[in-house]
Amino acid sequence: MVVLGPNLGEPHTKAFGDGLFELRLKGAEGIARVFCCTLIGRRIVMLHSFVKKSARTPVRDREIAESRLKEIKRENS
């Protein structure tokens, strides 16, 4: 991600718009997701992570990430 940025493409990442990306990870414990964003200077900020328990990304987890993204944008403007 440091070299290529957050949008590695499917199936590794998914863009949700407005600078929000979902990083898709698989491990021994199951499937995990991390919402992240990039800021000026190519700094990658991890906003929220969770272990998936259903096929769809839970709305509440996305809302948490979007809320934190707004906070970061306010602080950096």
Side-chain angles (χ1 to χ4, degrees), residues 4 7-9 15 17-20 23-24 27-29 34-35 44 49 51 56 61-62 65-66 69 71-72 75:
L4 301 174
N7 196 2
L8 301 173
D18 199 31
L20 184 64
L23 183 60
R24 300 168 169 186
E29 295 82 24
V34 177
F35 282 107
I44 299 170
S49 63
V51 176
R56 296 186 59 124
D61 288 305
R62 183 174 174 180
E66 289 171 342
L69 177 61
E71 287 177 31
I72 289 174
E75 291 174 3

Short mmCIF file of all heavy atoms in Angstrom, two decimals, residues 4 7-9 15 17-20 23-24 27-29 34-35 44 49 51 56 61-62 65-66 69 71-72 75:
data_model
loop_
_atom_site.label_atom_id
_atom_site.label_comp_id
_atom_site.label_asym_id
_atom_site.label_seq_id
_atom_site.Cartn_x
_atom_site.Cartn_y
_atom_site.Cartn_z
N LEU A 4 1.81 1.54 -3.86
CA LEU A 4 0.72 1.62 -4.82
C LEU A 4 -0.48 2.43 -4.35
O LEU A 4 -1.37 2.72 -5.14
CB LEU A 4 0.25 0.21 -5.19
CG LEU A 4 1.32 -0.69 -5.81
CD1 LEU A 4 0.77 -2.09 -6.00
CD2 LEU A 4 1.82 -0.13 -7.12
N ASN A 7 -5.86 1.87 -3.26
CA ASN A 7 -6.72 1.22 -4.24
C ASN A 7 -5.93 0.16 -5.00
O ASN A 7 -5.52 0.36 -6.14
CB ASN A 7 -7.34 2.23 -5.19
CG ASN A 7 -8.51 1.65 -5.95
OD1 ASN A 7 -8.88 0.50 -5.74
ND2 ASN A 7 -9.08 2.44 -6.83
N LEU A 8 -5.74 -1.00 -4.37
CA LEU A 8 -5.00 -2.10 -4.98
C LEU A 8 -5.86 -2.84 -6.00
O LEU A 8 -5.36 -3.67 -6.73
CB LEU A 8 -4.53 -3.08 -3.90
CG LEU A 8 -3.62 -2.49 -2.83
CD1 LEU A 8 -3.37 -3.53 -1.75
CD2 LEU A 8 -2.33 -1.99 -3.43
N GLY A 9 -7.14 -2.57 -6.02
CA GLY A 9 -8.05 -3.22 -6.94
C GLY A 9 -8.68 -4.46 -6.34
O GLY A 9 -8.25 -4.97 -5.32
N ALA A 15 -13.29 0.56 -3.30
CA ALA A 15 -13.49 1.98 -3.05
C ALA A 15 -14.95 2.23 -2.72
O ALA A 15 -15.84 1.73 -3.41
CB ALA A 15 -13.07 2.78 -4.27
N GLY A 17 -15.96 5.49 -2.20
CA GLY A 17 -16.19 6.88 -2.58
C GLY A 17 -15.78 7.84 -1.49
O GLY A 17 -15.65 7.48 -0.33
N ASP A 18 -15.53 9.08 -1.90
CA ASP A 18 -15.15 10.17 -0.99
C ASP A 18 -13.87 9.86 -0.21
O ASP A 18 -13.69 10.29 0.92
CB ASP A 18 -16.29 10.50 -0.04
CG ASP A 18 -16.15 11.88 0.59
OD1 ASP A 18 -15.57 12.77 -0.07
OD2 ASP A 18 -16.59 12.07 1.74
N GLY A 19 -12.98 9.05 -0.82
CA GLY A 19 -11.70 8.75 -0.19
C GLY A 19 -11.70 7.59 0.78
O GLY A 19 -10.69 7.32 1.42
N LEU A 20 -12.82 6.89 0.90
CA LEU A 20 -12.93 5.75 1.82
C LEU A 20 -12.70 4.45 1.06
O LEU A 20 -13.30 4.22 0.01
CB LEU A 20 -14.31 5.74 2.47
CG LEU A 20 -14.56 4.67 3.52
CD1 LEU A 20 -13.65 4.88 4.73
CD2 LEU A 20 -16.02 4.70 3.96
N LEU A 23 -10.18 -2.44 2.90
CA LEU A 23 -9.11 -3.41 2.69
C LEU A 23 -9.63 -4.76 3.13
O LEU A 23 -10.12 -4.92 4.25
CB LEU A 23 -7.89 -3.01 3.52
CG LEU A 23 -6.63 -3.85 3.39
CD1 LEU A 23 -6.13 -3.86 1.95
CD2 LEU A 23 -5.56 -3.32 4.32
N ARG A 24 -9.56 -5.75 2.24
CA ARG A 24 -10.12 -7.08 2.50
C ARG A 24 -8.99 -8.04 2.87
O ARG A 24 -8.08 -8.27 2.09
CB ARG A 24 -10.84 -7.57 1.26
CG ARG A 24 -11.98 -6.65 0.88
CD ARG A 24 -12.49 -6.96 -0.49
NE ARG A 24 -13.74 -6.26 -0.73
CZ ARG A 24 -14.48 -6.42 -1.80
NH1 ARG A 24 -14.11 -7.27 -2.73
NH2 ARG A 24 -15.59 -5.74 -1.94
N GLY A 27 -7.46 -14.46 7.12
CA GLY A 27 -6.49 -15.05 8.04
C GLY A 27 -7.06 -16.31 8.64
O GLY A 27 -8.17 -16.74 8.32
N ALA A 28 -6.31 -16.89 9.54
CA ALA A 28 -6.73 -18.13 10.19
C ALA A 28 -8.00 -17.93 11.01
O ALA A 28 -8.80 -18.84 11.15
CB ALA A 28 -5.61 -18.65 11.09
N GLU A 29 -8.21 -16.72 11.54
CA GLU A 29 -9.38 -16.43 12.37
C GLU A 29 -10.62 -16.16 11.54
O GLU A 29 -11.71 -16.09 12.07
CB GLU A 29 -9.11 -15.22 13.28
CG GLU A 29 -8.03 -15.46 14.30
CD GLU A 29 -6.64 -15.25 13.72
OE1 GLU A 29 -6.51 -14.51 12.72
OE2 GLU A 29 -5.70 -15.84 14.24
N VAL A 34 -10.86 -3.73 6.94
CA VAL A 34 -10.33 -2.51 7.52
C VAL A 34 -10.74 -1.36 6.60
O VAL A 34 -10.46 -1.40 5.41
CB VAL A 34 -8.79 -2.55 7.63
CG1 VAL A 34 -8.26 -1.23 8.18
CG2 VAL A 34 -8.33 -3.70 8.48
N PHE A 35 -11.42 -0.37 7.15
CA PHE A 35 -11.71 0.84 6.39
C PHE A 35 -10.53 1.78 6.57
O PHE A 35 -10.04 1.99 7.69
CB PHE A 35 -12.99 1.51 6.90
CG PHE A 35 -14.24 0.83 6.42
CD1 PHE A 35 -15.02 0.09 7.27
CD2 PHE A 35 -14.63 0.94 5.09
CE1 PHE A 35 -16.18 -0.53 6.85
CE2 PHE A 35 -15.78 0.32 4.64
CZ PHE A 35 -16.57 -0.42 5.52
N ILE A 44 -1.50 6.85 4.98
CA ILE A 44 -2.64 5.95 5.04
C ILE A 44 -3.13 5.89 6.48
O ILE A 44 -2.35 5.63 7.40
CB ILE A 44 -2.26 4.55 4.54
CG1 ILE A 44 -1.80 4.63 3.09
CG2 ILE A 44 -3.43 3.59 4.70
CD1 ILE A 44 -1.18 3.36 2.57
N SER A 49 -11.70 -1.33 11.97
CA SER A 49 -11.52 -2.72 11.53
C SER A 49 -12.52 -3.61 12.26
O SER A 49 -12.96 -3.30 13.36
CB SER A 49 -10.09 -3.19 11.81
OG SER A 49 -9.84 -3.20 13.19
N VAL A 51 -14.15 -8.05 12.17
CA VAL A 51 -14.19 -9.40 11.60
C VAL A 51 -15.58 -9.61 11.04
O VAL A 51 -16.58 -9.39 11.73
CB VAL A 51 -13.85 -10.47 12.66
CG1 VAL A 51 -13.99 -11.87 12.07
CG2 VAL A 51 -12.45 -10.26 13.20
N ARG A 56 -22.48 -9.47 3.80
CA ARG A 56 -22.45 -8.03 3.53
C ARG A 56 -21.70 -7.28 4.62
O ARG A 56 -21.67 -7.71 5.77
CB ARG A 56 -23.86 -7.49 3.45
CG ARG A 56 -24.65 -8.10 2.28
CD ARG A 56 -25.98 -7.43 2.16
NE ARG A 56 -25.79 -6.00 1.96
CZ ARG A 56 -26.29 -5.32 0.94
NH1 ARG A 56 -27.01 -5.93 0.05
NH2 ARG A 56 -26.08 -4.03 0.82
N ASP A 61 -20.74 -0.57 10.83
CA ASP A 61 -19.28 -0.48 10.71
C ASP A 61 -18.88 0.55 9.66
O ASP A 61 -17.93 1.29 9.84
CB ASP A 61 -18.70 -1.86 10.37
CG ASP A 61 -18.75 -2.80 11.56
OD1 ASP A 61 -18.23 -2.43 12.62
OD2 ASP A 61 -19.33 -3.90 11.42
N ARG A 62 -19.62 0.61 8.57
CA ARG A 62 -19.34 1.62 7.54
C ARG A 62 -19.62 3.03 8.08
O ARG A 62 -18.86 3.96 7.83
CB ARG A 62 -20.17 1.35 6.29
CG ARG A 62 -19.87 2.33 5.19
CD ARG A 62 -20.57 1.98 3.91
NE ARG A 62 -20.34 3.04 2.94
CZ ARG A 62 -20.82 3.03 1.73
NH1 ARG A 62 -21.54 2.01 1.32
NH2 ARG A 62 -20.59 4.01 0.92
N ALA A 65 -16.72 4.22 10.20
CA ALA A 65 -15.58 4.63 9.37
C ALA A 65 -15.85 5.99 8.71
O ALA A 65 -14.97 6.85 8.67
CB ALA A 65 -15.30 3.58 8.31
N GLU A 66 -17.07 6.19 8.20
CA GLU A 66 -17.40 7.47 7.56
C GLU A 66 -17.35 8.62 8.56
O GLU A 66 -16.88 9.71 8.24
CB GLU A 66 -18.78 7.39 6.91
CG GLU A 66 -18.79 6.51 5.67
CD GLU A 66 -20.18 6.24 5.13
OE1 GLU A 66 -21.18 6.44 5.87
OE2 GLU A 66 -20.27 5.81 3.97
N LEU A 69 -13.72 9.41 9.18
CA LEU A 69 -13.16 10.08 8.00
C LEU A 69 -13.52 11.56 8.02
O LEU A 69 -12.67 12.42 7.76
CB LEU A 69 -13.67 9.41 6.72
CG LEU A 69 -13.23 10.04 5.41
CD1 LEU A 69 -11.72 10.00 5.26
CD2 LEU A 69 -13.90 9.32 4.23
N GLU A 71 -14.12 13.38 10.66
CA GLU A 71 -13.33 14.01 11.72
C GLU A 71 -11.93 14.33 11.23
O GLU A 71 -11.41 15.41 11.47
CB GLU A 71 -13.23 13.07 12.92
CG GLU A 71 -14.48 12.91 13.73
CD GLU A 71 -14.30 11.91 14.86
OE1 GLU A 71 -13.17 11.79 15.38
OE2 GLU A 71 -15.29 11.26 15.22
N ILE A 72 -11.31 13.38 10.53
CA ILE A 72 -9.95 13.57 10.04
C ILE A 72 -9.90 14.68 9.00
O ILE A 72 -9.00 15.52 9.01
CB ILE A 72 -9.39 12.25 9.47
CG1 ILE A 72 -9.12 11.29 10.63
CG2 ILE A 72 -8.14 12.49 8.65
CD1 ILE A 72 -8.72 9.92 10.19
N GLU A 75 -10.06 18.04 10.74
CA GLU A 75 -8.81 18.38 11.41
C GLU A 75 -7.73 18.81 10.43
O GLU A 75 -6.85 19.60 10.77
CB GLU A 75 -8.30 17.18 12.22
CG GLU A 75 -9.15 16.87 13.42
CD GLU A 75 -8.71 15.59 14.13
OE1 GLU A 75 -7.71 14.99 13.71
OE2 GLU A 75 -9.39 15.20 15.09
#
